[in-house]
Amino acid sequence: MWSIQDIKMMNRALKLARKGTYTTRPNPSVGCVITQGDEVIGEGYHIKAGGPHAEVHALNDAGLAAKGSTAYVTLEPCSHYGRTPPCALGLIEAGVVRVVIATEDPNPQVKGRGIAMLKEAGISVSVGLLAAEAKRLNKGFMKCMAIRLPWVTVKLAASLDGKTALSNGVSQWITGPESRRDVQRLRARHGALVTGIETVLADNPSLNVRHSELGELKQSLSETDIIQPIRVILDSRARLPVNMALFEVESSILLVSCVHYPEEVRNAWPEHVSHLLLPSMDGRVDLAKLLEHLGSLCHSVLIEAGATLAGAFMAEGLADELVLYQAIKILGDKGRNLLSLPEYGSMAMLPSMTLIDERKVGADTRLTLKLG
Amino acid sequence: MWSIQDIKMMNRALKLARKGTYTTRPNPSVGCVITQGDEVIGEGYHIKAGGPHAEVHALNDAGLAAKGSTAYVTLEPCSHYGRTPPCALGLIEAGVVRVVIATEDPNPQVKGRGIAMLKEAGISVSVGLLAAEAKRLNKGFMKCMAIRLPWVTVKLAASLDGKTALSNGVSQWITGPESRRDVQRLRARHGALVTGIETVLADNPSLNVRHSELGELKQSLSETDIIQPIRVILDSRARLPVNMALFEVESSILLVSCVHYPEEVRNAWPEHVSHLLLPSMDGRVDLAKLLEHLGSLCHSVLIEAGATLAGAFMAEGLADELVLYQAIKILGDKGRNLLSLPEYGSMAMLPSMTLIDERKVGADTRLTLKLG
């Protein structure tokens, strides 16, 4: 069904799409390549929400030569008038005769309509080339459009024997500087960052993405291009004082509690703080309800929390992926455990997972595990 | 100092040497390549203690062409009459004019004398090419000859969060069949296997090398070629009953206790059992003394034990290497810990280690870590 040329061109479109990884949110990352025979005559990718879509860039690049061409797009071209006119129409008007699409747009406003529009105009349309890669590239967008829940990544860092800190709480630094920079990039790819009140009280972190710590990404991503994730603090008993470092950084904070904050605390919050009250029977934040709410704000959530909260996301089956940074260290049995999970009686009860990526990050190893 | 040809030939000699890995004990694995100009005219490796050394095989292979040749040997040629005449003499008599040696023989009976014998005969001798690889190949022999203590490898198997079993003790199977076969090969490379009474009582293992479980090694290593490691059981309080599975396999067993076994138990032991009494103040086996004794019996020891015993070898600085099989599983904080170690107050106090090898073994990852 697909020629070598097709595969090559879609891979090229995917590579272009990836350039938008850090900047297109809340839009998906999309790439487009336009060819005449073996020759690439136009290419482009979506850079920023509100700006032109990938197809527009590629068609502009091709110019009049687009007549009679083939277009490779990593996501179904849109069919609706949003901030930009529909891309399906653009392709039709440019005279493209064949469109190869990696995957359908799960967005209910599009979902097959872009394909239908192209077909109605007499264009030959094929869908599904490198679909898995294209879906993975926009995993948050895909999941959230389909079921209105954000993609949940749990970030963990531990020694080879699965410890996150010494018994006295010392955890600086188990992993190396390259891993810490990699975590900054991981944050920069997520729409929200979730942590617990205990972590905030213990470490007083800013929880933002710091341009100076992005490593090699600094060159291609300017400070103002960074889309700061919403900082979500789970503070069931409304204990968070206002003199914490995270309030000093001006980007969205969402405080989630099961009870009301005192009036004087609420009044002291800066503009960028909002509050979600999630009353609960057991005094703990209902994570499923939290994710329902976050699904209306963003497509992907990074959990950077201690063993209890991170374990709860896993144990409740709410996490999609684990990113584990493993340091070449042994802390011993007195160290603190990585994940609080239920007491399992048999191996068959363990959470199922698949290793999808493994690589060196400085002296550490980063494992990416798909759950479920 | 070394030409490309030298490096190539020594690598070839090392590759030959490795063929003897499982069969030369207690002798070191040695390879030899003989060249005339760019051409290899003879090669060989030591196969079995008592049989010809690598140089003898290579000289026989070269025949009269050895006159005026260069010999590459991974270990200094011997200078003494043992079970075979000295190899240095063989090289001299064959008319070899240049000898390149990876590393000196640490054996006090040789140690530079082979080199001296060659030089006295007017042969050009260079030492040190690929020395690190050559030493690593015979790490047990090297260490034991130098300081009379065996090389100590600690074998571990755990989940990604460093757990070896569920809280109820279930540990079958955390790692996969390929890892278990790899452990059989690891056993087959060691002179002794050390475990604790608790492991024996809990699992009733045979603790031998099983030919059927050697995987791809089965083809090149026959059942009778296997050199069974001495099975060493640490049984401080002399509790081991005689009806255990390990007694049924006819290969050496060394029971180590701090107190005497009852007469009737001793009388029931089969021929292949010996006993080492190591009285101690704290009622536990003195591991340093144990290693001193084992150094007189073999060159390398594999620790296959629980968290307490394996941790003690590490904490006392007696282990040289960790081999950690990591399964893509998470057992959670209720699981059993990998290593019992002291309570460390700072990261600087942690045992220092260097990753020297990392590879996939089936679905698991095997990490090899050099300690110290």
Side-chain angles (χ1 to χ4, degrees), chain A residues 160-163 166-168 170-174 314 322 324 326 328-334 337-347 350-351 353 355 358 360 365 367 369, chain B residues 160-163 166-168 170-174 314 322 324 326 328-334 337-347 350-351 353 355 358 360 365 367 369:
Chain A
L160 290 175
D161 57 339
K163 303 296 176 180
L166 300 177
S167 54
N168 59 14
V170 166
S171 66
Q172 285 177 331
W173 302 99
I174 289 183
M314 257 191 85
L322 297 185
L324 169 61
Q326 229 175 21
I328 304 298
K329 287 192 174 73
I330 300 261
L331 268 58
D333 57 333
K334 315 297 183 298
N337 280 312
L338 183 60
L339 283 167
S340 293
L341 289 173
E343 191 157 358
Y344 298 111
S346 78
M347 293 286 170
L350 298 180
M353 56 186 69
L355 182 70
E358 177 169 3
K360 283 274 146 208
T365 303
L367 304 169
L369 301 142
Chain B
L160 291 175
D161 56 341
K163 303 296 176 180
L166 301 177
S167 53
N168 60 14
V170 166
S171 66
Q172 286 179 328
W173 300 100
I174 289 182
M314 259 192 83
L322 297 184
L324 169 60
Q326 230 177 20
I328 304 300
K329 287 192 173 72
I330 299 262
L331 267 57
D333 57 333
K334 316 297 184 298
N337 281 312
L338 183 60
L339 283 167
S340 292
L341 289 172
E343 190 156 0
Y344 298 111
S346 79
M347 292 286 171
L350 298 180
M353 56 186 70
L355 183 69
E358 177 170 2
K360 282 276 147 207
T365 303
L367 305 168
L369 303 140

Side-chain angles (χ1 to χ4, degrees), chain B residues 174-229:
Chain B
I174 289 182
T175 51
E178 291 88 350
S179 287
R180 295 196 297 276
R181 285 197 285 271
D182 201 60
V183 170
Q184 287 285 319
R185 293 188 292 267
L186 192 61
R187 283 183 181 179
R189 288 197 299 273
H190 282 81
L193 198 160
V194 173
T195 195
I197 178 71
E198 296 299 345
T199 300
V200 176
L201 292 178
D203 305 340
N204 194 19
S206 301
L207 294 171
N208 60 331
V209 177
R210 292 176 289 275
H211 188 258
S212 61
E213 295 173 31
L214 287 175
E216 67 263 31
L217 185 61
K218 266 192 295 189
Q219 271 80 57
S220 56
L221 191 73
S222 75
E223 180 138 20
T224 52
D225 283 340
I226 297 172
I227 306 175
Q228 290 289 346

